[in-house]
Every structure is written in C-alpha cells, then in structure tokens.
Amino acid sequence: MFKPRGLARRWALLISGDFLIATFSADGVFAIVGRPHLERLGPLGYGGTAIMVGILYVAAIHFEDLYAIERPLARSRIVAALLSATAKLAVLLSLLVLIAPGLNLGRHYYAIHITIAALALIAWRLAVATFFAGRTSIGVLILGNGECSRLVAKEVTLRAHLGYKLLGTVAYSECPAPSASGQSSADNQVYEVSSLDKLPVHSRFMSLVVTDQDSSPFPVRELMQWRVHGNEVIDLESFYERMTGKLPVALLRETWLVFAPGFVRSRLRAFLKRTIDIAGTIAIGLVFLPAALVAVLFIPLESRGPVLYSQQRVGLDGRPFLLYKFRSMRDGAEHETGPVWAAVDDARVTRLGRLIRRFRIDELPQLFNVLRGDMSLVGPRAERPEMVAELSRKLPLFDYRHSVRPGLTGWAQICWPYGASLDDARDKLCYDLYYIKNWSLIFDLQIIIQTPKVMLFGRGAR
C-alpha cells in the first residue's frame, strides 16, 4: 500500500511461503496416515482440498496482522499470532465440514495437517525474521537541520526493521571545513560541511533526503553529482510518503502537490471505479442482507424512532448529499447539542446501536448511496457540512479530500482510529491525501481486503 524499497518483495515472499507450506503440509499428513479414498473428498480431490486449506490458512494469518510488516513484530508475537491463526483455522474447518460433509476426512487428518503446518510456519516465519533482522538496505542522510529534518530522522529510526538506517544529518554551510565534522546528537550524527564531497559515502545504497530547498546556499551541482554517481536524491515529501504511507500535511508545500505525480482523474479511471463500485455493492448487499434484516427487526424494539435516518454530508467536489444509516442513537439525540464529534462510550448511543456500530452494520444503508453515485466503496470518510466548514478553516488542505467520492471504507479509516478531534482529522487527512494521490484499482483492492479486520474487531468504531 505504500512503497518502502523491498517491501512488496517481502510481502510476496511471506504470502507465497505461507501458502506453499500450508498447502504442501497435506503431503506430510498423507505420508503419516495414508491417503483417504478419493470419493470422500468430492470434486476437490487431494490437491483441491490442500489448496483450500492453504488459502484459508493465509486468510487466518492475514487477520492476525502478520502481513502488516510495516510494523515491528517481536518473535514471541509472531509465534502467538500463528497459534491464534491455527485456532481460527481449526474452527473454520469444523464449520466447513458441517456445511459440506464431503470434506469430512476425519478429525485426525485435519488435526495432523494443521499441526504440521503450524510447526512449519513458525519455523519459517522465525527464520525470515532472523534473516531480515538488522539487514540494512538503505542508508539515509538528511540535508537540513530544522524541524523537517528532525521529523524525517524520527520516522527513519522508527522503521529500522524495514531496512532503513539513519546515517546522519547534514548541516550545509559555505564556511570552509577541512573534513566532515561529526557531532553526536542522541543517536543522530550531525555533519557540518561546506561540500557534500566531504560526506562519508557507504558502499550500500544511500538516500539523501533534502528537507530545506529554500536555504541559501543550496548545493544544486553537488546534488546532481550525487545522483549521477548512483545515489538517490529525494525531497522530503516524496521520501516521507514512500516510507510512511501518508503525506506530511503539517509541513506539506502546495507547490509540491502541483508538480508531484499522481492526482490523476480520467474518464477511464472513473468508469472502472464506478463499475467495481456497482458490482461490489451488489455482492456486499447479498452477503450482509441477514445482518441488515436483524437490524431492521430489533432497532424499533429498543428505542422509539425510525429504523433509518438520513444526514447531510459533503461529497464529490464539495456537493452535499443525504447519507443513510441504521439509527444507532436515541431519536433526537442532537436536538440540544447540535452536531458534535462522537465520543468514546457516547451516551447518545443505544445498546444495540453500540453493537451495530462496532461491526459497522449501521453503515450498510450507505450501499444505496454507492449505487446512487453519491459515494464509492473506497474513499475518504464523508463528513458533515458543519464539520467540513470548521476543518477547512483550520486545515488549509482539507478541501482536497473532495476531489474524489467519499467511501464506505478508506485508507485513513483502516490506518487510523475514528476521528473525534482536530488532531485526529489532521492525521486522517495525511492518509486521505496519500490515497487520492496514489489511487489505483490495486490500492482499492488492498484496502477492501484490510476492511474486514476493522469490521470484525471493531477497530476505530465509535
């Protein structure tokens, strides 16, 4: 979803390795207890059954966040997560056997299968973690010595597990210096130099992050020499978004937004996204129809008022529209307070409302908004006009969110908890702008795959 160097290859390595181990563990079972009769397996056969278990195992591992490798994971956490994924798989297989008796090979087959797979996966994952631990592929030097450079230094230090190593901060000055003078500042080496030639150059790949382009003097020719000699020279915004999956809103220059790649809006892209929205909405509606019917039946039993309520929100290009939800608050909850942020343990929310909010069932009527074209499946959260007016005054880049349709889910929604303050809105804006800038169908698919974790575990719900 974001692009630190080598991260996509590591994702592919982990997913393919997990799948192959979980799939081919079936051969170990067959070697121990023998192969069952083919007729017991139905149309799937040996291979199909093993592949099915492999896919389900990868899905269970995904729900344990073991593919969220942008986060550092201790070895104990890896083992615990794999054991939890194995338990989830065992429960799921038990349910599948009840639904499809043709898959019933006997408890001992599946028990031995997932035991072998779990042990092999633990050994595999610990070996991968050991291999990547301490392996630094990118050394980072920061040109500049102000607030921006300190921000980049902090983020690089936090992401050492992704292969970044902070080599130091460069304070460039025309004052002559016989060599690069190193001054220790916590874990950051500060180099005061009059020429970039005096910096220590490591044999490994290096990135020179330029955080202050308005300083005088500015070593343009020396920076070009760095580039032509194979080292990367990159601006603050580009490096920050690649490393973190968000844009540094507090430090972002609008001139950079003007010339940065991305923010593409074309008829073909709009057509493809709209087609996927319609197909996805129909599929989601069919899957969650039972949950919607339960909400329709029980909401009136707990509190008086309509089952559905509508609320004005701001959509594409700042145009208002009516958003529909299942009612989760007491009827007339805002008559006295007016529009306010939702809070933790909000007293206005009913008991059933708290449950349907936790699992996002209250948002199912928004599928109608998607079909009508007010919203998309994926995009920034639709905000109320009163909130938009306030946030637009305080966050100058906030209105850029309205260059795309709001979504049922989005990059900010899965990366950040529910926004209930100006600071939360600023942090979510960092992710929203990154999504708009880097939109692709693959990015949308990645967000959709991540969304069930948010729904099932109630992350960010209020």
Side-chain angles (χ1 to χ4, degrees), residues 224-231:
M224 279 303 300
Q225 288 297 316
W226 267 62
R227 290 196 65 182
V228 299
H229 283 94
N231 292 301

Side-chain angles (χ1 to χ4, degrees), residues 156-273:
V156 171
T157 303
L158 290 173
R159 287 165 176 78
H161 62 287
L162 295 180
Y164 289 103
K165 181 178 181 181
L166 180 61
L167 301 179
T169 301
V170 181
Y172 184 84
S173 172
E174 283 187 325
C175 298
S179 61
S181 59
Q183 299 178 8
S184 178
S185 174
D187 56 352
N188 182 12
Q189 187 80 8
V190 180
Y191 297 99
E192 296 180 359
V193 298
S194 60
S195 171
L196 299 184
D197 294 335
K198 299 182 182 297
L199 290 172
V201 178
H202 296 244
S203 58
R204 66 186 68 211
F205 184 86
M206 292 179 66
S207 289
L208 181 62
V209 182
V210 180
T211 63
D212 186 2
Q213 299 181 28
D214 300 323
S215 63
S216 181
F218 188 71
V220 177
R221 287 183 175 273
E222 294 182 30
L223 290 174
M224 279 303 300
Q225 288 297 316
W226 267 62
R227 290 196 65 182
V228 299
H229 283 94
N231 292 301
E232 179 183 49
V233 177
I234 185 170
D235 59 87
L236 158 71
E237 293 90 346
S238 299
F239 183 78
Y240 188 90
E241 71 160 338
R242 185 177 73 190
M243 183 174 56
T244 65
K246 57 184 178 180
L247 295 183
V249 167
L251 306 173
L252 198 61
R253 297 167 295 147
E254 285 194 85
T255 52
W256 181 83
L257 287 176
V258 171
F259 296 107
F263 299 104
V264 177
R265 186 169 170 177
S266 68
R267 291 183 178 180
L268 176 60
R269 287 188 167 211
F271 172 77
L272 291 173
K273 189 169 176 65

Side-chain angles (χ1 to χ4, degrees), residues 128-452:
V128 170
T130 301
F131 176 78
F132 282 111
R135 292 178 63 88
T136 303
S137 57
I138 308 173
V140 179
L141 278 170
I142 304 169
L143 180 58
N145 199 22
E147 179 186 357
C148 296
S149 64
R150 287 190 289 272
L151 173 66
V152 175
K154 176 184 175 183
E155 296 292 347
V156 171
T157 303
L158 290 173
R159 287 165 176 78
H161 62 287
L162 295 180
Y164 289 103
K165 181 178 181 181
L166 180 61
L167 301 179
T169 301
V170 181
Y172 184 84
S173 172
E174 283 187 325
C175 298
S179 61
S181 59
Q183 299 178 8
S184 178
S185 174
D187 56 352
N188 182 12
Q189 187 80 8
V190 180
Y191 297 99
E192 296 180 359
V193 298
S194 60
S195 171
L196 299 184
D197 294 335
K198 299 182 182 297
L199 290 172
V201 178
H202 296 244
S203 58
R204 66 186 68 211
F205 184 86
M206 292 179 66
S207 289
L208 181 62
V209 182
V210 180
T211 63
D212 186 2
Q213 299 181 28
D214 300 323
S215 63
S216 181
F218 188 71
V220 177
R221 287 183 175 273
E222 294 182 30
L223 290 174
M224 279 303 300
Q225 288 297 316
W226 267 62
R227 290 196 65 182
V228 299
H229 283 94
N231 292 301
E232 179 183 49
V233 177
I234 185 170
D235 59 87
L236 158 71
E237 293 90 346
S238 299
F239 183 78
Y240 188 90
E241 71 160 338
R242 185 177 73 190
M243 183 174 56
T244 65
K246 57 184 178 180
L247 295 183
V249 167
L251 306 173
L252 198 61
R253 297 167 295 147
E254 285 194 85
T255 52
W256 181 83
L257 287 176
V258 171
F259 296 107
F263 299 104
V264 177
R265 186 169 170 177
S266 68
R267 291 183 178 180
L268 176 60
R269 287 188 167 211
F271 172 77
L272 291 173
K273 189 169 176 65
R274 183 69 182 137
T275 302
I276 292 173
D277 283 344
I278 294 173
T281 297
I282 294 172
I284 293 171
L286 292 174
V287 170
F288 288 96
L289 181 60
L293 293 176
V294 170
V296 169
L297 289 174
F298 283 93
I299 288 174
L301 298 180
E302 184 179 19
S303 61
R304 290 183 298 176
V307 172
L308 285 175
Y309 83 96
S310 61
Q311 196 176 69
Q312 196 171 73
R313 299 292 176 98
V314 177
L316 180 65
D317 296 328
R319 293 192 295 267
F321 69 95
L322 283 180
L323 177 142
Y324 297 95
K325 278 190 172 187
F326 287 129
R327 182 173 57 83
S328 58
M329 292 186 177
R330 293 179 285 101
D331 191 30
E334 292 187 339
H335 284 172
E336 295 181 2
T337 63
V340 293
W341 297 102
V344 177
D345 297 326
D346 199 318
R348 300 171 300 169
V349 179
T350 64
R351 287 177 298 176
L352 177 62
R354 205 173 306 282
L355 179 66
I356 64 175
R357 277 174 167 246
R358 176 176 174 80
F359 296 107
R360 309 300 168 96
I361 296 171
D362 63 318
E363 298 183 358
L364 288 177
Q366 293 175 41
L367 293 173
F368 175 72
N369 289 112
V370 177
L371 286 176
R372 200 168 66 173
D374 300 324
M375 298 178 64
S376 176
L377 287 179
V378 182
R381 185 179 186 274
E383 298 288 358
R384 303 175 68 171
E386 299 85 357
M387 303 300 182
V388 169
E390 177 187 354
L391 293 172
S392 296
R393 287 194 306 270
K394 297 178 179 178
L395 302 175
L397 303 177
F398 190 80
D399 283 339
Y400 290 132
R401 296 172 76 257
H402 304 134
S403 60
V404 298
R405 287 185 177 89
L408 279 174
T409 184
W411 185 227
Q413 289 94 307
I414 67 172
C415 290
W416 195 259
Y418 184 93
S421 67
L422 177 63
D423 289 337
D424 284 337
R426 182 183 293 108
D427 286 319
K428 293 189 76 171
L429 181 60
C430 296
Y431 291 104
D432 284 332
L433 291 181
Y434 178 88
Y435 168 77
I436 296 168
K437 179 181 180 295
N438 295 281
W439 177 85
S440 69
L441 294 178
I442 297 298
F443 197 3
D444 274 3
L445 178 61
Q446 291 174 322
I447 293 170
I448 290 170
I449 290 173
Q450 294 285 342
T451 298

